Amino acid sequence: MTLLAVNPSGFLSEFYISFWIPTAVLTAALVIKLPSIIRLWRDPLLRAVGGLLLLACAVFVFCTPSTIAAVNRLTGVPNISAPWCYSLITAFCGSCLLLIITWRNGLSDRSAATRRAMRWVISVYSGVILALWVLFLLADAPEERLRDLDTHYATTPFMREEILLYLVAHAVACLITSRLIWNWVRTEGLDAWLRWGLKLLGAGYVSNLVFDAVKLIAVVARWFGQDLDWLSTNLAPPVAALSAILIAVGFILPHAGQYLHDRWRVRLAHRRLRPLYRLMRTVSGEGVPFVLRSTPELRLTRRETFIRDVLLPLARHIDTGLGRRSHQAALALGHPPERARALAAAVSILDAIETRSRTPEPAEPADGPDTTNLLQEIGAVSQALRRPDDIEAVRARAAAPAESVAVHE
């Protein structure tokens, strides 16, 4: 902000380089969403998200001065980039409204009100785009302006109306979208990642309203013979860039956040099983074969399967009486019920391994105790194995006379 106050015109050339920053962030959001869009192409909601992000990228690409000059030169029409950029911005606004209406109400909501709202958005914003081109054809704007077209032609007939039309259409769309988003944020039962994504989207659209406000102030100032062009040329662009970044991150966060959360949960579960897995390797003599390209989910499934496959034949050696005494001992030592069950299961497994090493395998498989709960709680049992001191304390107390093991009321 200091640069704006001291030398606003000098800041302008430095700022426009930063237009590629929101473009990069928006492109990243599109790339992250692209696999889901391709895989679920029939989902209109995903297609709408992809189209919106593509339009947002196009807005920032075509609104940079270098691209504006290239389009004008390619077509041979000075300032033809103006209606083109305004059209992209207007299409983006309409896409935002359609997406929020669909996203908020859900694809299953086919009510007359929802369909009427979507038809209204499409017809109004299509009409605005058509009007932008008609007004440009009627206007006289022969002098090419790469950075200050809005204020330079603010008093030119038809260009004046065009500039005002796109700003009002943009402001109305951002106002409605932000209102819908903030109402949605207050809904109960939202996923945390979705809630934070919506908050960022809401902040992005509120920033867009700031963009519209400073642009309109600069344009209206021209109507009254005042020069506040720096608001339009120097302040509005960084606000637009910030808004685009917030909107892009708002779209990325629910998807990427949930993806990273799921990855972390899978890796954590895989790591939690390491003590029990290593113990089962000593029983079987081998482990899970290493596969270079296996996914985290597959590695977790393979580790869980290996542990259960080794535990099943080991179950015939489990002493259920020792398990009960160990559970009582763990409770007596002050462990909570869940922890006590895990410690008791760990003690039973360690005892079964020792018994198996002393007792040859029977010729015919013998029926063992019910291991359903044990097979379901391998994660908790594995965590119990990380605390050998607790296990030894439970084993020692479980081996004591019965009266010293009982839990006293």
Side-chain angles (χ1 to χ4, degrees):
M1 297 305 294
T2 303
L3 285 172
L4 285 173
V6 175
N7 186 15
S9 61
F11 176 75
L12 178 64
S13 59
E14 296 180 10
F15 165 74
Y16 270 95
I17 299 174
S18 70
F19 257 37
W20 296 107
I21 297 175
T23 303
V25 177
L26 288 163
T27 303
L30 182 59
V31 169
I32 289 173
K33 288 284 187 182
L34 195 58
S36 299
I37 294 171
I38 294 174
R39 187 173 63 255
L40 303 172
W41 178 250
R42 294 182 180 275
D43 187 339
L45 190 56
L46 282 174
R47 291 203 306 269
V49 170
L52 186 144
L53 292 173
L54 189 61
L55 277 171
C57 291
V59 166
F60 279 91
V61 169
F62 283 100
C63 286
T64 56
S66 58
T67 309
I68 290 172
V71 172
N72 292 340
R73 186 171 57 252
L74 182 65
T75 59
V77 180
N79 297 316
I80 198 172
S81 284
W84 173 241
C85 291
Y86 297 161
S87 297
L88 287 174
I89 293 171
T90 304
F92 171 75
C93 294
S95 297
C96 291
L97 283 174
L98 289 174
L99 176 64
I100 295 301
I101 291 170
T102 306
W103 196 2
R104 178 66 179 88
N105 295 336
L107 295 176
S108 59
D109 186 347
R110 300 298 181 184
S111 66
T114 300
R115 293 195 300 270
R116 186 164 56 250
M118 296 181 72
R119 285 197 301 268
W120 181 86
V121 170
I122 293 171
S123 59
V124 168
Y125 280 85
S126 297
V128 169
I129 292 173
L130 178 62
L132 289 171
W133 285 95
V134 171
L135 289 169
F136 178 76
L137 292 175
L138 295 173
D140 182 20
E143 183 181 353
E144 183 181 59
R145 310 298 297 189
L146 301 181
R147 295 180 173 89
D148 62 346
L149 184 141
D150 290 349
T151 50
H152 183 79
Y153 287 110
T155 58
T156 301
F158 299 111
M159 283 299 293
R160 173 184 56 218
E161 288 77 10
E162 176 166 8
I163 293 164
L164 184 62
L165 178 60
Y166 103 83
L167 287 174
V168 170
H170 186 257
V172 169
C174 291
L175 184 63
I176 296 173
T177 304
S178 60
R179 176 66 181 273
L180 291 173
I181 288 173
W182 288 115
N183 286 342
W184 191 4
V185 168
R186 291 192 290 269
T187 304
E188 296 293 333
L190 289 182
D191 174 78
W193 293 108
L194 176 58
R195 189 180 299 277
W196 277 106
L198 289 172
K199 287 181 178 180
L200 289 172
L201 284 173
Y205 286 108
V206 170
S207 299
N208 263 326
L209 290 174
V210 176
F211 166 85
D212 294 322
V214 297
K215 280 277 189 179
L216 282 169
I217 290 172
V219 169
V220 172
R222 278 286 189 145
W223 296 352
F224 292 94
Q226 302 298 315
D227 185 356
L228 293 178
D229 291 6
W230 68 273
L231 288 174
S232 176
T233 56
N234 290 64
L235 181 57
V239 172
L242 175 62
S243 171
I245 292 172
L246 290 172
I247 290 173
V249 176
F251 278 115
I252 292 173
L253 192 62
H255 178 86
Q258 190 60 51
Y259 174 83
L260 293 175
H261 175 75
D262 291 342
R263 279 289 183 269
W264 170 252
R265 181 181 53 79
V266 169
R267 291 183 184 277
L268 183 61
H270 187 267
R271 182 179 178 84
R272 282 166 57 91
L273 288 175
R274 181 182 296 174
L276 185 57
Y277 169 70
R278 296 174 71 174
L279 181 63
M280 293 300 99
R281 285 185 62 179
T282 64
V283 176
S284 68
E286 59 183 12
V288 177
F290 176 74
V291 179
L292 183 62
R293 292 183 175 273
S294 61
T295 63
E297 291 83 0
L298 180 58
R299 289 199 294 270
L300 174 62
T301 300
R302 287 163 63 88
R303 178 166 285 190
E304 289 174 338
T305 303
F306 173 79
I307 291 172
R308 292 188 174 99
D309 287 346
V310 178
L311 277 175
L312 280 172
L314 190 64
R316 69 182 67 136
H317 300 288
I318 289 180
D319 184 347
T320 55
L322 175 62
R324 286 192 297 270
R325 295 194 304 274
S326 298
H327 183 248
Q328 292 176 344
L331 291 173
L333 290 171
H335 294 287
E338 296 80 4
R339 176 74 172 169
R341 286 197 300 269
L343 287 169
V347 170
S348 298
I349 290 173
L350 290 170
D351 179 76
I353 293 173
E354 294 173 359
T355 302
R356 179 177 178 274
S357 65
R358 296 191 304 265
T359 305
E361 293 290 336
E364 294 294 332
D367 293 333
D370 184 10
T371 59
T372 302
N373 291 335
L374 175 61
L375 295 176
Q376 291 176 346
E377 297 178 3
I378 58 176
V381 175
S382 184
Q383 287 299 100
L385 291 170
R386 290 182 179 273
R387 302 294 297 272
D389 293 343
D390 290 347
I391 292 177
E392 289 304 319
V394 171
R395 294 183 77 172
R397 194 174 182 95
E403 59 271 13
S404 64
V405 174
V407 179
H408 300 287
E409 297 290 340

